[in-house]
Amino acid sequence: MRPSVNRPPTPDVQENQEKEPTLQETINIKLIESGEKERLMELLRERLVECGWKDEMKAICRAFIKKKGRNNVTVDDLVHVITPKGRASVPDSIKAELLQRIRKFLVSAAL
Amino acid sequence: MSLPNEDNMASQLSSHFFGDLLDSIIVDVASECHRIARLGLDRNLEDEEEELRLSAQARVRVADPSNSGEANSKYVVDIFGQSHPSVASEVFECMNCGRSIVAGRFAPHLEKCMGKGRKARPKVTRSSTAAQNRYSRGSPVSAYSPYSNSTSSNRLSNGTSGVAGEEYSNGTFQEP
């Protein structure tokens, strides 16, 4: 077969590096394609702003920036600075709400 | 209905995706703060630094004895390092009366030249009626109107001196 225009059939021609997509990946794709991931992210963003979490994180960033000097800071620095506190300080109610929504999606998508 | 295994897996997956979302949001927040910091948009940060620096400078200046007595000395040094005599010495022509006036004496001269002349403020009528007209027309006028409505002539002259002064500064010179 001429290789130019036709796309080679997917798993065979390439090296079989790609295993079958994991469940996680499949669901991720479904989340994105259906737009649910975006909606969930916006919901989480909104909730985190409402409860002051974002302001807390920004304050931590500002303190770090003041200490280190504003021209010496990288995005990476800031991510590392706020990740542990950020993950730990999400209010339980918000976490529960999001988890429930995700679960609902999983149930509907997996069937 | 749902096996505990399934439940477990569902919980795990949910947590995984939640963590995913949270990480994305954390990166967004970090990126935003980074941008604000690098662009210098956070006024507070700069203001504080500026304040600290200025107060440190001021403290040094106050502590330094050689800088004191600026009020006493005749020659003060300004921010460009120039010094001026305390009384301005340039002579020029008054645009009202045409006399040659020393700049340092110009203000008191103007008071007499424009204000008294021969009588005390004959301009009173003109500007007070003008102000009254403006007021009666209902347009919002500045502080002139209360003055123009007061009865005592002293108040009038004081008030309209403000008016007159204003009008003069707008470039209309009237004969005293």
Side-chain angles (χ1 to χ4, degrees):
Chain A
M1 238 158 80
R2 278 187 307 154
S4 55
V5 178
N6 301 321
R7 194 163 148 247
T10 330
D12 301 317
V13 181
Q14 302 165 7
E15 302 140 21
N16 208 2
Q17 234 177 337
E18 296 188 42
K19 307 232 168 154
E20 217 170 85
T22 64
L23 183 59
Q24 214 172 70
E25 288 168 4
T26 313
I27 296 184
N28 199 25
I29 293 173
K30 284 203 177 151
L31 265 176
I32 297 174
E33 285 183 347
S34 66
E36 184 68 10
K37 191 162 197 190
E38 189 72 31
R39 280 191 288 268
L40 288 169
M41 190 123 98
E42 284 316 304
L43 176 63
L44 183 55
R45 234 193 277 267
E46 194 182 315
R47 293 279 180 267
L48 290 176
V49 167
E50 282 170 0
C51 73
W53 177 93
K54 186 173 179 186
D55 293 328
E56 244 182 85
M57 296 302 115
K58 283 178 87 165
I60 298 177
C61 288
R62 265 202 293 263
F64 179 80
I65 290 168
K66 212 154 152 186
K67 221 173 55 170
K68 204 168 179 215
R70 71 179 180 105
N71 284 318
N72 303 332
V73 181
T74 66
V75 179
D76 227 26
D77 285 340
L78 292 177
V79 168
H80 284 118
V81 165
I82 55 177
T83 295
K85 184 86 202 292
R87 284 181 165 187
S89 63
V90 177
D92 289 333
S93 58
I94 297 181
K95 195 165 180 184
E97 184 183 352
L98 266 293
L99 285 176
Q100 199 190 41
R101 265 189 77 152
I102 295 173
R103 250 193 130 126
K104 217 164 71 167
F105 180 84
L106 287 180
V107 167
S108 70
L111 293 175
Chain B
M1 283 244 271
S2 54
L3 306 167
N5 250 357
E6 261 184 36
D7 257 355
N8 210 353
M9 191 161 65
S11 299
Q12 229 181 10
L13 277 174
S14 308
S15 294
H16 166 81
F17 285 119
F18 177 76
D20 220 15
L21 293 172
L22 193 55
D23 283 341
S24 295
I25 292 180
I26 286 178
V27 170
D28 284 346
V29 172
S31 174
E32 195 181 318
C33 287
H34 176 262
R35 173 179 174 269
I36 289 175
R38 292 301 296 253
L39 293 181
L41 296 178
D42 186 359
R43 299 285 337 255
N44 292 338
L45 206 67
E46 282 184 10
D47 287 347
E48 282 178 33
E49 295 174 12
E50 190 66 26
E51 283 293 334
L52 288 173
R53 233 179 320 126
L54 287 177
S55 60
Q57 276 180 15
R59 240 173 283 148
V60 167
R61 236 178 288 131
V62 167
D64 187 1
S66 65
N67 281 344
S68 67
E70 284 199 280
N72 306 333
S73 69
K74 198 168 191 243
Y75 292 93
V76 190
V77 182
D78 70 12
I79 57 172
F80 297 112
Q82 302 168 341
S83 66
H84 309 272
S86 56
V87 175
S89 51
E90 179 170 317
V91 178
F92 66 98
E93 184 187 302
C94 168
M95 58 284 291
N96 201 32
C97 65
R99 299 226 291 267
S100 303
I101 309 292
V102 178
R105 299 294 308 164
F106 188 53
H109 162 79
L110 265 191
E111 272 185 345
K112 301 189 195 91
C113 161
M114 294 187 152
K116 298 192 202 148
R118 284 147 246 137
K119 308 164 118 191
R121 319 290 185 137
K123 239 143 277 24
V124 166
T125 20
R126 234 194 87 130
S127 20
S128 69
T129 45
Q132 266 174 357
N133 282 342
R134 271 183 282 160
Y135 183 75
S136 64
R137 259 189 278 129
S139 56
V141 183
S142 50
Y144 304 156
S145 29
Y147 290 150
S148 65
N149 282 340
S150 83
T151 47
S152 85
S153 57
N154 274 350
R155 295 281 320 267
L156 259 178
S157 58
N158 281 347
T160 51
S161 76
V163 179
E166 185 73 10
E167 288 183 344
Y168 292 148
S169 67
N170 282 344
T172 58
F173 288 111
Q174 286 129 10
E175 287 302 294

